Amino acid sequence: WQRRNTRFMSCNCSCSSTLDTPTPLSLALATTLTVVVLVVVATLIASRRAWLSHHQARQQDFKSGRVLLHETDQPPTEVLKAATCKYHIFMSHTWKTGQDQVAVIKRQLVQLLPSPRIFLDVDDLEEFGDLEAHIKETGVMLLFLSRGYFLSRACLMEARLALTLEKPLILVHEADVKHGGAELDVIRAECPAALEADIFDD
């Protein structure tokens, strides 16, 4: 038993000795694996740096107030220039509960977009009778839905004409009661039945 055990131990030691001795093949394999790992790590680091650089650039764009198109990652300068309409946006609102808010919206859009043409009555309207012409010359209608919007004769005229001309609509809801807002259901209830589905459901 002792002799067999000695042989086993001897064999075990011999095997260990063989494994511990690197061969040219194992050295080449280890070198190749090392190179591969280094290349992968370097690629990951480079990708991470590129992502961080892009992310930081986007953060800077956000902080500087720039709006970028998702498809091109560039400001919509050419899109706005290519628009044949006189105004990109017509801001429809009731003076009683929405005048201050739309002025702020226009100011923000001017900061965020490159040279937008935005119609706001206090800035651009000279005669009430010109409203129809201005709406016809507009690309998109923004309806600022504050309390009493649909009770205003002028607002109803603007909304009806926008629907007749099939202008794209942007609905902005003022929910803050302290600033002339109301629940959307309340504002919707003020809307004439003939306009409700086209404005709220389409």
Side-chain angles (χ1 to χ4, degrees), residues 126-165:
E126 295 181 359
E127 297 290 339
F128 182 80
D130 296 335
L131 273 176
E132 182 174 346
H134 290 316
I135 294 173
K136 289 180 178 179
E137 297 171 332
T138 292
V140 176
M141 290 287 293
L142 185 149
L143 308 187
F144 188 80
L145 304 182
S146 57
R147 186 177 62 253
Y149 175 87
F150 291 108
L151 303 180
S152 164
R153 183 171 62 89
C155 292
L156 281 178
M157 184 274 291
E158 293 165 1
R160 285 194 178 100
L161 185 56
L163 292 173
T164 300
L165 297 174

Side-chain angles (χ1 to χ4, degrees), residues 71-88:
E71 294 82 0
T72 62
D73 213 23
Q74 296 295 323
T77 306
E78 297 304 320
V79 175
L80 295 179
K81 284 184 178 179
T84 57
C85 51
K86 183 177 180 180
Y87 298 104
H88 296 119

Side-chain angles (χ1 to χ4, degrees), residues 162-173:
L163 292 173
T164 300
L165 297 174
E166 298 183 346
K167 298 289 184 181
L169 300 182
I170 298 174
L171 305 183
V172 178
H173 171 221

